[in-house]
Amino acid sequence: MADHSSMMKQWQFTRSGKPRNILTITEIPIPTTCPDDELLIKISYVSLNSAIVHRLMAYRGVLDPVGAFRTRPSVPEKDFSGIVCDLRGANVKGFNTGDRVFGMGPTAFREIGRGVLCEYALIKQDSLVKVPDDISMKDAACFPVAGITAYCFLMEKAQLKKGDKVFINGGSGAVGVMVIQLARTIVGPTGLVVATCTAAKSDAIRNLGADEIIDYTAHDLPAFLREHYSSRPFDAIFDTVGSDHVLYSSSPAYLTPEGLFCAIGLVDFGSTVWAGTKRILQLLSAMMVPVYLGGVPRRYIFEPLKVSHARMVAMAKLVEDKAFKAVIDSTYKFDGVLDAYDRLVSRQVIGKVVVEVNADHD
């Protein structure tokens, strides 16, 4: 009989599909060995990511060719907070047993099978930072992916400054709520922050720092932007929802000539091979076709999130300085993960859906 003190629970999958249809919970041994640059973390909270759901549901592996042929169990999710255990690699420095930490599990969770929707996880030290003293473990789990994404695109790529005008498409999502808050902090009271969401979410998004709200369900978005913002064009556009290509192709009407169009994170590739191929061609056109060959005369960037220790530290400093706060839509117990994913895919969410794995550390 297994020694249950040496076992842990994890959620896992072996095929593509909706989370409720493919995820199962099981017990496996807690790791007893550790690579030189990793630590064993006892997970406190995990926050769910929409991009993970899209990877779980990838159309027959067309957009996920490596993960499609994986047959061994894989554990989903990346964002977490937790406590450093005794088990640490020989090269790990700066962390002690009992430290409160937050960070990201492997980005390629599906290929290597190691996500963080489990009770214990091995995490690389460069993907970890300590939780600021006045931040709860639940809040900390909400920041890693969305916080680093907001930092990278607003501060490194767009280099926003005071007085700038910013448009955020998808203001109520996990990334959107972070981008709104950080944009508000950067552009200051003389700047303009405009965001999209449904009417039901408008008050919550306005309270995060948006000056103006556009109900995307009530308007043709490019046409509305052309009509209302051509006389006061944006300095940067942040598309967090992977909208149709026309939002970018129409952007000269409402984005300054020096402005930047940022496609942040997830892009909607559709549910068929043809739709995915068409979207990929549109992305390549946006990124590579010069103006003199018919390209859109506005800068465009789309790139996957690259995690580094420097970016983790910068994100943690923003959290410590209250540049943004966690926005938690709902919290579920570890055995309620399927309900948590149902909530996430309902499109009613504002901010993050959080799973409580071990709340004893708060």
Side-chain angles (χ1 to χ4, degrees), residues 11 23 48 117 332-342 355:
W11 285 91
L23 289 175
L48 305 184
L117 200 53
Y332 293 80
K333 298 292 187 181
F334 191 63
D335 59 4
V337 159
L338 301 182
D339 292 331
Y341 274 113
D342 286 346
V355 174

Side-chain angles (χ1 to χ4, degrees), residues 149-150 152-160 166-169 175 179 235-243 247-248 251 255 259-267 283 298-303:
T149 301
C152 289
F153 281 88
L154 272 67
M155 304 187 75
E156 290 185 358
K157 306 297 183 182
Q159 297 181 345
L160 291 183
V166 178
F167 172 63
I168 298 109
N169 188 32
V175 174
V179 171
D235 298 287
I237 292 175
F238 301 95
D239 181 14
T240 74
V241 297
S243 59
L247 184 64
Y248 170 64
S251 65
L255 181 63
L260 179 64
F261 189 103
C262 300
I264 298 179
L266 179 68
V267 170
L283 284 173
R298 293 297 183 270
R299 290 186 298 152
Y300 179 99
I301 59 171
F302 168 70
E303 58 186 62

Side-chain angles (χ1 to χ4, degrees), residues 39-45 80-88 92-103 120-121 123 125 128-133 135-137 140 309 358 360-362:
L39 307 80
L40 182 65
I41 305 298
K42 185 175 184 180
I43 304 296
S44 300
Y45 293 90
F80 72 91
S81 63
I83 301 295
V84 176
C85 297
D86 289 330
L87 185 62
R88 299 189 298 281
V92 170
K93 297 178 181 179
F95 294 100
N96 297 308
T97 301
D99 282 347
R100 302 192 318 150
V101 294
F102 66 131
Y120 291 84
I123 305 294
Q125 64 176 339
L128 286 172
V129 283
K130 294 180 182 179
V131 177
D133 290 340
I135 301 296
S136 72
M137 295 293 273
H309 184 63
N358 187 335
D360 293 346
H361 309 135
D362 250 342

Side-chain angles (χ1 to χ4, degrees), residues 196-210:
T196 65
C197 66
T198 60
K201 300 176 182 179
S202 60
D203 287 344
I205 301 311
R206 199 179 301 276
N207 288 337
L208 293 175

Side-chain angles (χ1 to χ4, degrees), residues 243-255:
S243 59
D244 189 272
H245 183 66
V246 71
L247 184 64
Y248 170 64
S249 62
S250 302
S251 65
Y254 39 81
L255 181 63

Side-chain angles (χ1 to χ4, degrees), residues 42 68 71 77 89 94 97 100 124 156 168 195 289 308 321 345:
K42 185 175 184 180
T71 56
E77 292 306 335
T97 301
R100 302 192 318 150
K124 290 184 178 295
E156 290 185 358
I168 298 109
V289 177
S308 68
D321 292 343
V345 302

Side-chain angles (χ1 to χ4, degrees), residues 168 170-172 176-177 180-181 184 192-215 224 229 232 325 327 350:
I168 298 109
S172 62
V177 297
I180 289 173
Q181 293 179 80
R184 178 81 279 157
L192 176 69
V193 178
V194 181
T196 65
C197 66
T198 60
K201 300 176 182 179
S202 60
D203 287 344
I205 301 311
R206 199 179 301 276
N207 288 337
L208 293 175
D211 297 300
E212 300 174 13
I213 302 293
I214 302 171
D215 182 354
F224 185 89
Y229 295 96
R232 44 175 183 157
K325 65 180 180 180
V327 179
I350 299 177

